[in-house]
Amino acid sequence: MKLNKVLVSAAALSGIAAAGTAANADTVSVKAGDTVSELAQKFNTTVEAIQKANNLQNVNFITVGEQLNIPANDNTQQQVQQPQANAAQVQQEQAAQQAAIAQQQAAQRQAQLAAQQKAAQAQAALQAQQAAQAAAAQKQAEEQAAQQAAAQKAQQEAAAAQVAKEQQEKAEQAAQAQAAAQKQAEEQAAAKKAQEEAQQQAAAAQAAKEQQEKDAQQAQQAAAQKQAEEAAAKKAQEAKEAAAAQAAANAKAAQQRAAQQAQAQQQQQKQQVAQQNTQQQAANNNQQSNNNNNNSNSSEAAAKAWIVAHESGGNYNARNGQYIGAYQLSASYLHGDYSQANQDRVANQYVASRYGNWVNAQKHWEQCGWY
């Protein structure tokens, strides 16, 4: 049933036994709290008359604002004389109204329970959706954390590999230096041994000579033999000195040839670099700008720092003959300007024109020992 249907209260029926006369009306507008029996009493008529005049299916249900026709009734004196019968009828109507009210309240409670269940289901669905969203967010956060951990691990492994590589290079350099020192010590020991042997031979020759001089007086044959031995020793000494002189001359000539070859190679490299600088001057200008940008790149910066460390230890004032500065550039490249800015600029131009970038220059250095 619709909730806007008003079940009229019977609370006012307690005074139904009171006799009275009220004016009749053609139609009335139902107000909240009105009942058919109350209207019948008010207008001195009967419930049956009002029901019949308005074709009411159920006298216990009337609507607020509904227009009811109230018929006239001339038998008011009889109604006043029979209050007990009217009271019984009102009680019956009251019981019916109370039953209807109870039924409506039960229906309202069922509707409220259904609404509460629906709200609880909606709340549970919302909570489940929120839980799913929270789980998805947590999963995404865990994936991001795993990615960050993997990236950090890769960086750490790369750094460890770089450190291990540098340590290995240092160990190799130390081993080479130790081998060179050991070789030099062996050569010095051999030279010292040869010198001792020569001294021993000289001492022995001197002793033999003295002995021969003493024996010369005793025997002419011994003197002749002594002269022969002296001649042989002299010849051997001369041969030895000639061999040493020839060896020294050969070594000097080899050094001169090596120096000439190194000078010729250096001159050729200078000519090649100068020719490349002339041919690629415009490209070098663009490359200089690119190199300045690439210096921010970690690999380029690391390669550049590596070369500087191996060439001069980062000392812009370092000198090694004609090679000057942190990059150990030839003095002819710097044109008398040994400032840090000019060294950086010339080094970048040299590496760009010869190797393309600092990473390639480092690779060449590692293979050949220079760049």
Side-chain angles (χ1 to χ4, degrees):
M1 69 184 63
K2 295 184 179 179
L3 296 179
N4 61 355
K5 291 292 184 178
V6 178
L7 296 176
V8 183
S9 173
L13 295 179
S14 59
I16 195 170
T21 302
N24 290 333
D26 293 335
T27 59
V28 296
S29 179
V30 178
K31 300 185 294 297
D34 287 345
T35 64
V36 174
S37 60
E38 185 179 10
L39 292 173
Q41 182 184 0
K42 181 177 180 181
F43 293 101
N44 297 319
T45 185
T46 64
V47 174
E48 290 79 4
I50 295 175
Q51 181 180 11
K52 183 177 180 181
N54 295 279
N55 294 323
L56 297 178
Q57 298 296 326
N58 190 344
V59 296
N60 295 319
F61 293 95
I62 55 177
T63 307
V64 174
E66 184 177 357
Q67 300 295 320
L68 296 178
N69 294 321
I70 307 299
N73 189 359
D74 296 333
N75 197 16
T76 57
Q77 184 65 31
Q78 184 179 358
Q79 291 178 9
V80 172
Q81 293 175 355
Q82 298 177 353
Q84 295 297 329
N86 291 335
Q89 183 179 0
V90 169
Q91 289 177 354
Q92 291 178 356
E93 293 177 354
Q94 182 179 5
Q97 291 174 354
Q98 289 177 352
I101 291 172
Q103 184 179 2
Q104 183 182 17
Q105 290 177 349
Q108 290 177 349
R109 285 195 296 271
Q110 290 179 355
Q112 290 176 354
L113 290 174
Q116 290 175 355
Q117 291 178 354
K118 186 175 181 181
Q121 292 175 355
Q123 181 67 22
L126 179 60
Q127 291 178 353
Q129 183 179 4
Q130 291 176 349
Q133 292 176 351
Q138 183 177 2
K139 182 177 180 182
Q140 184 178 5
E142 291 175 353
E143 291 176 352
Q144 291 178 352
Q147 291 176 356
Q148 292 177 355
Q152 185 176 5
K153 182 178 179 182
Q155 292 177 353
Q156 292 176 353
E157 290 177 352
Q162 181 65 25
V163 171
K165 182 178 180 181
E166 293 178 355
Q167 290 178 351
Q168 183 179 2
E169 291 173 352
K170 291 180 180 179
E172 291 176 354
Q173 292 176 356
Q176 292 176 357
Q178 184 177 2
Q182 184 177 359
K183 183 177 180 181
Q184 184 177 4
E186 291 176 353
E187 291 176 351
Q188 291 177 352
K192 183 177 181 181
K193 183 178 181 180
Q195 184 178 4
E196 290 176 353
E197 289 177 354
Q199 290 177 353
Q200 290 175 359
Q201 291 176 0
Q206 184 66 27
K209 182 179 179 180
E210 292 175 354
Q211 183 66 35
Q212 288 175 359
E213 289 177 351
K214 291 179 180 179
D215 294 341
Q217 297 176 359
Q218 297 178 359
Q220 185 176 1
Q221 186 177 0
Q225 185 177 358
K226 179 182 177 182
Q227 290 177 357
E229 290 177 355
E230 289 177 352
K234 184 177 181 181
K235 186 175 181 180
Q237 184 66 24
E238 290 176 353
K240 185 176 181 181
E241 291 177 353
Q246 184 65 34
N250 293 337
K252 185 175 180 180
Q255 290 178 352
Q256 290 178 352
R257 286 194 301 272
Q260 291 175 356
Q261 290 177 356
Q263 185 176 3
Q265 183 177 5
Q266 184 178 3
Q267 186 65 29
Q268 184 178 1
Q269 290 178 353
K270 288 181 180 179
Q271 292 176 356
Q272 291 177 353
V273 170
Q275 184 177 2
Q276 291 174 355
N277 288 337
T278 301
Q279 293 175 351
Q280 298 180 358
Q281 187 63 37
N284 288 341
N285 293 333
N286 294 330
Q287 189 65 36
Q288 176 63 30
S289 176
N290 292 332
N291 287 337
N292 292 333
N293 294 329
N294 289 335
N295 284 335
S296 61
N297 184 278
S298 59
S299 60
E300 280 293 283
K304 184 176 182 180
W306 188 93
I307 290 179
V308 170
H310 284 73
E311 288 293 330
S312 65
N315 185 7
Y316 281 85
N317 297 321
R319 286 176 177 261
N320 183 15
Q322 66 174 346
Y323 302 103
I324 297 174
Y327 305 92
Q328 288 294 283
L329 299 169
S330 177
S332 61
Y333 292 171
L334 298 172
H335 301 291
D337 184 2
Y338 303 149
S339 64
Q340 180 176 346
N342 190 50
Q343 291 185 33
D344 292 339
R345 182 181 62 80
V346 173
N348 288 331
Q349 290 179 350
Y350 171 76
V351 169
S353 63
R354 187 174 180 86
Y355 304 103
N357 54 51
W358 284 97
V359 173
N360 294 335
Q362 179 183 351
K363 292 179 181 178
H364 185 275
W365 201 106
E366 291 173 348
Q367 294 175 357
C368 302
W370 56 275
Y371 78 106

